[in-house]
Structures are given as structure tokens and as C-alpha cells.
Amino acid sequence: MGIGNIIFILILVTGIALFIKRIREIRANIMLGHDQVINDRKSTRWKTMGRVAMGQSKMVDRPIAGFLHIVVYVGFVLINIEVLEIVIDGIFGTHRVMSCLGGFYDFLIGFIEVLALLVLLACVVFLIRRNILSIKRFHLAEMTKWPKADANIILIAEILLMGALLKMNAADQVLQVHMPETYPPVGSYPVSQALVGIMGSFSVGTVLFFERALWWFHIIGILAFLNYVPYSKHFHIILAFPNTWYSNLEPKGKFDNMASVKKEVELMMDSSADPYATPPAGEEPAHGTFGAKDVTDLSWKNLLDAYTCTECGRCSSVCPANITGKKLSPRKIMMDTRDRAEELGAYKKANGKDSHDGSSLIHTYITEEEIWACTSCNACVDACPVLIDPLDIIIDLRRNLIMEESKSPESITSMFNNIENNGAPWAFSAADRDKWITES
Amino acid sequence: MDNRVMSMHVKDMASLAAEGKKPEVLFWIGCAGSFDDRAKKITRAFAKLLNEAGVDYAILGKEESCTGDPAKRAGNEFLFQMQAFSNIQVMNAYGVDRIVTTCPHCFNTLKNEYPELGGNYQVMHHTQFLNELMDTGRLKVEGGAFKGKKITYHDPCYLGRGNDVYEAPRELIKKLDAELVEMKRCRAKGLCCGAGGAQMFKEAEPGAKEINIERTEEAIETNASIVAAGCPFCNTMMTDGMKHAEKEGSIRVMDLAELIAEAKDL
Ligand code: SF4
Ligand code: SF4
């Protein structure tokens, strides 16, 4: 085993260890949310995951972006075969270890090269769409600074990685001619052979240097990418799978009936119940507040949603409030929820599990104005390619404003009063309910 | 002229129960259908159709109370569950098992949110119920006045996306022999009218435009002479939008029940 292999193994292990550390951090942040049991209808859940995450069924609602995304997605998955080869070669000092597959290897390398080219082109088109064409959803208020840079960084990284792969293969072909003992002539290179001419104009020593440098660049680049992803919206490549599995299978119009409220209402309405009875042990609501003030009052599924968000903005581009210029943007709701979970998670890590920084999701991150603009129309939920539910969070925030802070627009308060007093949201008398029979 | 029309014959649950009878179906009117002048016309149109088809139905009358939907969407879960609790008590006492309603918000709440609170009923939207009546031959309709007319249909959020009911209302338009022209955003992609989520009861937040105007413009683009709706709130929003666009003279916003009642000269 040479020094090269040892360095390789060290880099590889560090890369993977850092990745795992970050995943555990995200897991802990998601677990800041309260419990919610989701394990019914398993076969439907697997099917949903297969269709939406694996099959990208929602992506093609927008055909151009959908097609390009599928190219990048398929490329991303299959190019990992070559990464696997690089890892084995790096550890054991072999060269193109999979070439023992013979003819199939030719096919594989050829196929991967074509994919690499397609991914590269798709990323270029994505960059143009994002930065040159004025597609509104890429330029909403929340898409500045980091979120904007993040999207571009990943596209450029993919272009560089794919470029390195193709150039490395071109160098390999040149070396196959000059050093057939270390670079046995294997593989078909339908794309990179176009670069052989340029590569061949350098001296063999230079090409050898290129080939090694590109090889290292590619694998270090991949490890860097791996560690970048969980800090970025690109983490959806992993979380899309669990998130679609755990997605809501009920009709979208159905909102949950809060169990904590149900108990109190039953006590109030049931004359035979003893209002002073202490609730049986273990039956207290796990979370002490009604609705959500902070991420700790949301469920872990809401937080998984937040970490899964790709910031694509499809939700906001169909949101009636956003379309008509209101401050509400369902994408921002998801981004704020994630950012707040990150902030609180880091604080708790530094100051202990029960510490709290005094900040909150509502008010500090999301304003009342935003959540009151929602029509609960479910368009955002329907549009999301990874089945995120921004509406669920919005309603939980409203619940907290109403039931804990007693804060609502004046007209909403009088609507409540009317329902309470007249059994209708307007100030009409219940005695007039059947007047329609006799009036025109 | 006396604009009171002849009183319709509508039974209520209490008097039926007094006779020891129970109807085939409860017609849940909803607050808009009971109190809003525009929506009351929809209620009447649907009641006429029920009478015409000889459906054995009854209403709760003064015993009906808000389902709690606007309270729930606005975040007042207490008020919602109190409403649900008392409505369920009333309906269970009458042994209600089947409900039809002209309001998608009541439909959604009764169908999806009441069961966990003890109210288990088979709930239908009136467009589904009308289809059933026609398919079983209890109600007949010929296009007549609407034959070949261009009608566009606005999907109410709580009927469409909320409960995946897209076909029933469209079926009715076809049964009228009318030409259904879709808006650019329709079915699962349909744009909200702006009323849901308790917005109906408050001013909109500051912005560039009202939602109902955005939606009405889209309806106008279809060149339809009628906008069919299946929700009293959408109806109000679209009617207001037409007024804003000064189109109320040329484009009518009508509930599907009203269209069918009109086709039948009821
Ligand atoms: S449910 Fe609310 S946030 Fe989602 S699209 Fe509709 S109005 Fe926008
Ligand atoms: S919530 Fe879904 S649709 Fe909205 S930005 Fe995130 S991934 Fe896209």
C-alpha cells in the first residue's frame, strides 16, 4: 500500500465522518419537533415514495424543468457507479478495477460519459434559467444572499465535477497508447474522445499529471460535495425519500382535530364529568402550548418538511396570496422553519437541552401579516414536488396566535363572537335560519 | 309588486321525528346558504330540484349551527370543536346517516373532521347528489336554454384540491349540453377565489391585487358567458370580481344547482 492510498483512505474516512456528524445534527434538529406517529397504510406509503421521489412524478408538471431535473437526477445516481470504482481504486491502488467486466464495462463507461455530458448541459441550462431568464419564482424576496448563492454553487460544482470526469477519461485514453501496462486499453469513451486531440498535444508526463490530478480532484470534489449537500437545499436528494413516505395520505381539506382541545371541550360539554378531576397520569398533552409558537411546538414531520425543501418556489408561484403581491410565500415559511430549527438546535447544543434562546418562529421569523394572508387553498401543498405541507405550519401558527396570544384581526374576532353567540359567522339570529324558505 | 314567492314545502327534522319518521337525506344548508342573500337563491334552487326529484329530505332548520369551519381555519380550534360537538349531538339524536350540502366548506368539515369527534355520516356535495339523481333517472334535464353555451367552471378549493372532486360538477355541465371551457388554471391547479381560510371575514393583507380579481380575469379570458360555481363563497367572490370588471351584465356567475333549476324552468 503506497502513501497515496493511505492519504486517500484518510481523506475518505474524514469526508464520511464529517458527513455523518452533520446528519446526526440534522436528525437532532428534526427531533426538536414533538412526536407524531405515522406508520399506517405502509404499502401506499412505499408506492407514494416510489412514484414521487424515485419516479419524480410531480416534477414533470413543469415539463422543461422536470425533464432537465430527471437528467440530472438519473445522472447523479448512475455516475455513482464510477465513483464506487474510484473509491475501490483509491483504497487498493488498482486502476479501473471494474474493467474486469469486459464488454459490459465498455457499455457502462460509455453510458456514464453520455450522462455526464447531459448533466453538464442540463446544469448550464439551469444556470441560464436561474440567472438570465426572469422566472419570477427564482427572484422572490426570500431568494437573496445565501439561498441564491447556494443554488448556483451546486450547479457550478456539478459542471466542474462532470468536466473533470470527462477530461480524466480523455487523459486515460492518451495514456492507454503510451503506457498500456498501467493504463490498459479498456472502456469506450463516446464523449471524451473528442477531447483526446487536445490532451494528446501535451507531453506524456503532463498528461499523466493531468490524469492523476483530475482523479484526485474528482474524488475530493465528490467528498466536498457530500459534505456541502446537508448544509444546502440540495439535501432534498436524500430527504425526498423519507419525506414522501411520511407524507399526508388524508384528503388535503382535512385538518387535524387537536387532541388536547378535544379533551377540554369534552369536559366542558359533558355535564357528568367532574371538572376538578385530575387527568389520569400520562394523559397530559406532550406539548404544553396550543398550536405552534416555535419549532419545538411543531411536529417532527413539519421539521422534516422544512429540511426537505428544495427552495424551488413552485409553491409560492401558485399561491394566490403571493401571486397578488401579499407578503406570504409558502417557500419562505419552510425556509424560516428550517433556519429557526438550525438556530435553536445550535443553541441547545451549546447551552443544554432545556435551554432556550428566547426567540421564536412566529414574530422573529414569520410575521402575523404573512400567516393571515393564507386562504388555506392547498395550492402550495399540491404543487410541491416532494410533498411538503406549508399549510399545516401556517395553521399551527394561527392556532397559537388565537388560543395563546388571543391575537387576531378585529373582524376575525367578531366572526368568532358571532359563531359563539348566533351559531353563524355573521350577526344574524339563529331564528332566521330557515327564512330562505319563504323569501325569494 | 310583492316579491315574496310562494313558500316552498320543506320539512324539518324535528317535525319528522315527532311523526316518528326519518328522511332519506339531511340537507345541510350552511350559514351562507341560510343568511347570505345571493346564497339563499342557491339554497332555494337546490331545494326545488330535491322537491322535483321527489327526494325525501329534511333540514335542521333553526337547530342547524355553523360547522365551525371558519373558526378552525382561523386557528380557533376550541370554538370549532364546541360547534362540532353540539352539531353532532343534534344530528346523532336524529339518527342522521346521510347529508347533502351546497357548501364545500361544510362538506369538507362534516365529511373529514366530524368523524373523529363522533359524527359519522355519508356526506355528499350537491353536485355529486344531483349527478346521482340524474344517473338513477330521478331527475331529468335537457340543456334547453344552455345548449351550446360556453360555460367555464371554477373549482372550489375545498371541493377540488381539498377532496379531489373534479368530475361531478363538470358532468353536470355536460348534461346541460353546454360547452365546457376550462380556465388556464383548473382542476388541481385551480386558483383560489380568495375566500377560504376565513379570508371571507376579513380585509385582505396589503398587496398588489385582490385574489378574486385575478381569478375573475382568468374566467373572462375564456369568453364564457357563464361562470359556474359550486360554492356560495366562490360565487360571491366571482360575482364581486365581475362587478369590478364591469362584466356583470354580460357574464353570469351561477351555481350549478341554479343552472339546472333554470334549465328545468323551476
Ligand atoms: S394554502 Fe395558503 S400558503 Fe398555500 S398556496 Fe394557498 S394561500 Fe398560499
Ligand atoms: S415547499 Fe416544496 S414547492 Fe415549495 S419551495 Fe420547498 S420544495 Fe419547492
Side-chain angles (χ1 to χ4, degrees):
Chain A
M1 192 175 275
I3 181 84
N5 305 98
I6 294 172
I7 293 175
F8 180 86
I9 292 170
L10 282 177
I11 293 176
L12 184 70
V13 170
T14 315
I16 292 175
L18 285 174
F19 178 72
I20 292 173
K21 181 169 168 274
R22 172 62 180 153
I23 299 297
R24 298 173 82 136
E25 208 171 271
I26 291 179
R27 200 190 125 82
N29 290 351
I30 289 175
M31 288 308 165
L32 288 173
H34 66 71
D35 199 16
Q36 183 184 356
V37 181
I38 308 174
N39 60 10
D40 58 335
R41 289 171 275 181
K42 289 206 176 65
S43 76
T44 314
R45 296 188 176 282
W46 286 113
K47 276 185 215 142
T48 308
M49 187 181 96
R51 195 179 66 244
V52 181
M54 201 117 86
Q56 311 243 311
S57 60
K58 289 241 159 198
M59 283 305 293
V60 287
D61 279 358
R62 314 234 169 144
I64 302 174
F67 173 73
L68 293 171
H69 187 270
I70 288 177
V71 168
V72 177
Y73 162 71
V74 173
F76 182 86
V77 172
L78 293 179
I79 286 167
N80 280 312
I81 302 174
E82 180 143 2
V83 175
L84 182 68
E85 182 180 51
I86 292 182
V87 169
I88 299 174
D89 285 348
I91 296 173
F92 298 105
T94 48
H95 181 72
R96 295 200 180 256
V97 68
M98 289 184 186
S99 59
C100 62
L101 296 171
F104 183 66
Y105 188 73
D106 283 358
F107 166 76
L108 208 60
I109 291 294
F111 187 57
I112 285 174
E113 281 213 339
V114 173
L115 279 177
L117 179 68
L118 287 174
V119 169
L120 201 152
L121 292 176
C123 288
V124 171
V125 180
F126 273 143
L127 275 176
I128 295 173
R129 275 170 58 88
R130 206 165 257 281
N131 296 289
I132 301 176
L133 305 183
S134 44
I135 296 174
K136 195 177 157 210
R137 68 185 156 111
F138 296 139
H139 303 281
L140 296 180
E142 65 271 21
M143 293 312 282
T144 51
K145 296 185 201 137
W146 166 244
K148 188 180 161 92
D150 180 24
N152 286 325
I153 288 171
I154 216 90
L155 290 171
I156 292 167
E158 291 233 23
I159 291 173
L160 290 178
L161 285 173
M162 293 305 123
L165 182 81
L166 292 172
K167 279 182 260 165
M168 179 183 90
N169 283 354
D172 200 290
Q173 285 165 80
V174 174
L175 296 171
Q176 286 175 11
V177 179
H178 298 285
M179 310 166 64
E181 45 318 318
T182 19
Y183 289 89
V186 288
S188 65
Y189 302 92
V191 178
S192 62
Q193 58 184 327
L195 302 169
V196 167
I198 310 172
M199 270 301 165
S201 63
F202 297 98
S203 72
V204 176
T206 312
V207 177
L208 189 61
F209 173 75
F210 275 157
E211 197 276 336
R212 283 294 87 193
L214 289 163
W215 187 90
W216 282 98
F217 175 82
H218 192 70
I219 188 63
I220 294 174
I222 295 250
L223 286 172
F225 186 92
L226 181 73
N227 277 286
Y228 177 80
V229 161
Y231 288 93
S232 140
K233 65 171 189 133
H234 292 86
F235 201 43
H236 75 270
I237 58 181
I238 293 173
L239 291 188
F241 290 86
N243 203 61
T244 47
W245 199 91
Y246 287 113
S247 65
N248 177 28
L249 300 178
E250 296 291 316
K252 290 194 187 73
K254 176 180 176 180
F255 290 11
D256 66 316
N257 291 315
M258 294 172 68
S260 46
V261 170
K262 190 176 171 208
K263 211 173 301 158
E264 299 212 9
V265 169
E266 271 164 2
L267 275 177
M268 261 156 61
M269 306 295 257
D270 183 359
S271 47
S272 67
D274 173 6
Y276 302 107
T278 39
E283 271 195 34
E284 304 256 24
H287 36 106
T289 177
F290 291 116
K293 178 175 190 227
D294 206 351
V295 288
T296 40
D297 310 318
L298 292 170
S299 80
W300 65 265
K301 176 60 174 74
N302 293 136
L303 302 185
L304 179 64
D305 271 356
Y307 273 97
T308 308
C309 177
T310 77
E311 297 174 13
C312 69
R314 291 180 182 217
C315 51
S316 300
S317 74
V318 296
C319 170
N322 193 273
I323 289 172
T324 55
K326 319 291 190 293
K327 273 221 180 91
L328 171 64
S329 166
R331 166 172 57 189
K332 177 177 173 290
I333 301 288
M334 301 319 298
M335 291 165 71
D336 286 343
T337 305
R338 179 201 57 209
D339 292 350
R340 172 61 187 150
E342 280 284 298
E343 181 187 59
L344 187 63
Y347 187 88
K348 282 182 183 286
K349 209 171 152 188
N351 301 286
K353 200 158 78 30
D354 297 322
S355 62
H356 200 279
D357 59 4
S359 181
S360 65
L361 180 59
I362 184 77
H363 305 312
T364 319
Y365 281 76
I366 300 171
T367 60
E368 293 173 45
E369 180 180 337
E370 286 165 75
I371 62 166
W372 282 114
C374 174
T375 71
S376 75
C377 73
N378 262 306
C380 53
V381 183
D382 176 79
C384 181
V386 286
L387 307 185
I388 287 168
D389 190 341
L391 177 55
D392 203 42
I393 296 178
I394 294 172
I395 293 299
D396 258 347
L397 293 173
R398 280 190 183 177
R399 284 171 171 170
N400 193 261
L401 279 183
I402 297 291
M403 292 189 283
E404 296 286 347
E405 290 193 47
S406 304
K407 255 176 138 178
S408 57
E410 218 175 292
S411 49
I412 291 288
T413 313
S414 48
M415 179 263 285
F416 291 155
N417 290 338
N418 287 330
I419 295 181
E420 228 177 301
N421 300 327
N422 324 320
W426 301 284
F428 291 109
S429 155
D432 293 341
R433 260 203 187 261
D434 48 9
K435 267 203 166 160
W436 60 269
I437 302 173
T438 50
E439 294 175 344
S440 68
Chain B
M1 200 184 103
D2 184 10
N3 65 358
R4 289 172 72 99
V5 294
M6 214 174 50
S7 176
M8 271 189 287
H9 188 63
V10 181
K11 291 181 222 157
D12 63 57
M13 295 296 280
S15 44
L16 277 187
E19 296 167 32
K21 284 195 220 139
K22 198 175 100 176
E24 173 191 345
V25 63
L26 165 69
F27 175 16
W28 181 276
I29 315 292
C31 298
S34 305
F35 296 118
D36 180 86
D37 285 335
R38 177 68 190 84
K40 278 194 262 187
K41 297 197 173 123
I42 303 172
T43 310
R44 290 180 63 87
F46 184 60
K48 283 180 197 164
L49 292 171
L50 291 176
N51 287 341
E52 169 80 6
V55 175
D56 171 24
Y57 73 100
I59 62 171
L60 281 170
K62 297 175 178 58
E63 286 187 283
E64 189 184 294
S65 188
C66 176
T67 58
D69 163 84
K72 189 174 180 87
R73 314 295 138 185
N76 196 336
E77 182 75 6
F78 269 107
L79 185 50
F80 162 72
Q81 289 202 17
M82 305 234 288
Q83 287 298 115
F85 196 93
S86 51
N87 280 323
I88 289 169
Q89 256 184 353
V90 171
M91 287 192 285
N92 287 358
Y94 287 126
V96 169
D97 40 31
R98 214 165 171 232
I99 305 175
V100 64
T101 176
T102 46
C103 175
H105 295 266
C106 298
F107 166 74
N108 174 67
T109 307
L110 294 168
K111 174 174 167 287
N112 294 321
E113 290 158 359
Y114 275 32
E116 273 166 32
L117 304 173
N120 290 286
Y121 321 106
Q122 189 207 343
V123 188
M124 292 179 95
H125 186 244
H126 70 308
T127 57
Q128 296 173 313
F129 197 78
L130 287 171
N131 264 305
E132 195 183 279
L133 290 179
M134 292 182 189
D135 293 344
T136 51
R138 293 169 76 182
L139 189 67
K140 293 208 173 45
V141 69
E142 270 138 39
F146 299 105
K147 199 170 174 144
K149 276 239 170 88
K150 275 194 178 164
I151 301 184
T152 189
Y153 171 67
H154 166 79
D155 286 281
C157 300
Y158 277 88
L159 190 64
R161 269 190 300 274
N163 287 288
D164 292 310
V165 179
Y166 299 110
E167 294 312 327
R170 288 180 169 78
E171 273 298 309
L172 292 178
I173 294 177
K174 282 184 208 143
K175 284 178 176 142
L176 284 171
D177 277 337
E179 182 193 345
L180 171 64
V181 280
E182 295 285 4
M183 287 184 249
K184 254 205 319 268
R185 290 171 281 198
C186 62
R187 296 180 181 262
K189 309 276 169 259
L191 182 73
C192 175
C193 70
Q199 293 297 332
M200 187 75 190
F201 306 97
K202 60 183 263 300
E203 288 299 314
E205 275 53 42
K209 201 178 192 179
E210 294 289 340
I211 296 172
N212 65 327
I213 291 174
E214 169 91 7
R215 185 53 166 169
T216 312
E217 284 171 358
E218 203 173 355
I220 295 171
E221 271 173 40
T222 63
N223 283 322
S225 56
I226 293 169
V227 178
C231 169
F233 296 101
C234 298
N235 196 311
T236 302
M237 291 310 242
M238 300 299 280
T239 305
D240 288 350
M242 286 300 169
K243 281 186 196 140
H244 179 91
E246 296 180 355
K247 291 275 183 195
E248 76 265 41
S250 51
I251 304 177
R252 294 200 294 162
V253 180
M254 304 270 287
D255 190 88
L256 284 154
E258 293 178 304
L259 289 176
I260 294 171
E262 196 175 303
K264 293 181 69 65
D265 269 332
L266 290 176

